[in-house]
Amino acid sequence: MSYQLSKRSLSRLAGVDDKLVAVVKRAIEISQVDFMVLEGVRSKEQCMINYGKGRTAAQVQAKGIPARYAKPSAAKVTWLNNPFASKHCEGKAVDLVPYPVDWNDLSKFDKIAKAMLQAAKELKVNIRWGADWDGDGKPRERGESDSPHFEI
């Protein structure tokens, strides 16, 4: 079976580095699971929202972010020291999820990763997967848990 990116997914690739876009487009062609682009370029606003999750008002204010973004009871979604250091901010990262979305079926995320890594190799683009930051082929060890995330 062959899959294609939806118009919505393609629109979410606007501003993303051309090499990474090429990898995503090739990956959907060879993937064994349908997927969509959840996020490409991240706005400054979204960076502040993400940084506020799992942090107190004092913690976000210490980074120059207004206290209203603090959501200490929410699950933390970023461990970056600099709230604006995400590669999403510069168009060097994408988040991909299986379609239909099933956050609990990690095997589908693994199939997306397999396709992304194969596509990157074919196109000679160096990428990292958020579930295997150290690139040792052992996903989700030592806190590597960002299964949707790919970056150049």
Side-chain angles (χ1 to χ4, degrees):
M1 175 175 256
S2 179
Y3 299 106
Q4 292 182 324
L5 291 174
S6 68
K7 287 181 183 179
R8 176 176 258 176
S9 283
L10 288 170
S11 73
R12 291 175 178 165
L13 290 172
V16 172
D17 185 282
D18 291 340
K19 292 182 286 188
L20 186 54
V21 170
V23 171
V24 173
K25 287 180 175 179
R26 176 63 183 136
I28 193 69
E29 293 172 354
I30 60 177
S31 181
Q32 297 176 9
V33 61
D34 196 8
F35 65 83
M36 66 182 205
V37 179
L38 186 64
E39 186 174 40
V41 176
R42 185 174 292 159
S43 69
K44 185 175 179 178
E45 172 86 5
Q46 190 61 52
C47 288
M48 293 189 288
I49 290 168
N50 288 358
Y51 194 78
K53 293 178 180 177
R55 291 184 172 85
T56 65
Q59 289 171 317
V60 299
Q61 287 176 310
K63 297 295 180 177
I65 295 175
R68 69 179 179 274
Y69 290 100
K71 302 284 184 240
S73 61
K76 189 183 264 190
V77 297
T78 182
W79 287 261
L80 295 172
N81 189 36
N82 176 346
F84 306 106
S86 170
K87 292 213 176 193
H88 281 282
C89 296
E90 55 185 283
K92 302 283 187 190
V94 293
D95 288 338
L96 307 175
V97 295
Y99 186 81
V101 178
D102 181 351
W103 293 102
N104 298 312
D105 190 346
L106 296 179
S107 70
K108 288 183 179 179
F109 286 96
D110 293 348
K111 288 177 182 176
I112 295 169
K114 182 179 178 183
M116 283 291 289
L117 295 168
Q118 180 181 331
K121 185 175 181 179
E122 286 178 14
L123 298 171
K124 297 177 176 45
V125 177
N126 189 24
I127 67 169
R128 284 197 325 172
W129 178 32
D132 188 17
W133 288 114
D134 58 10
D136 67 357
K138 299 175 188 170
R140 298 178 200 90
E141 64 177 354
R142 298 186 303 269
E144 298 170 312
S145 61
D146 197 353
S147 295
H149 184 86
F150 297 89
E151 65 181 40
I152 56 174

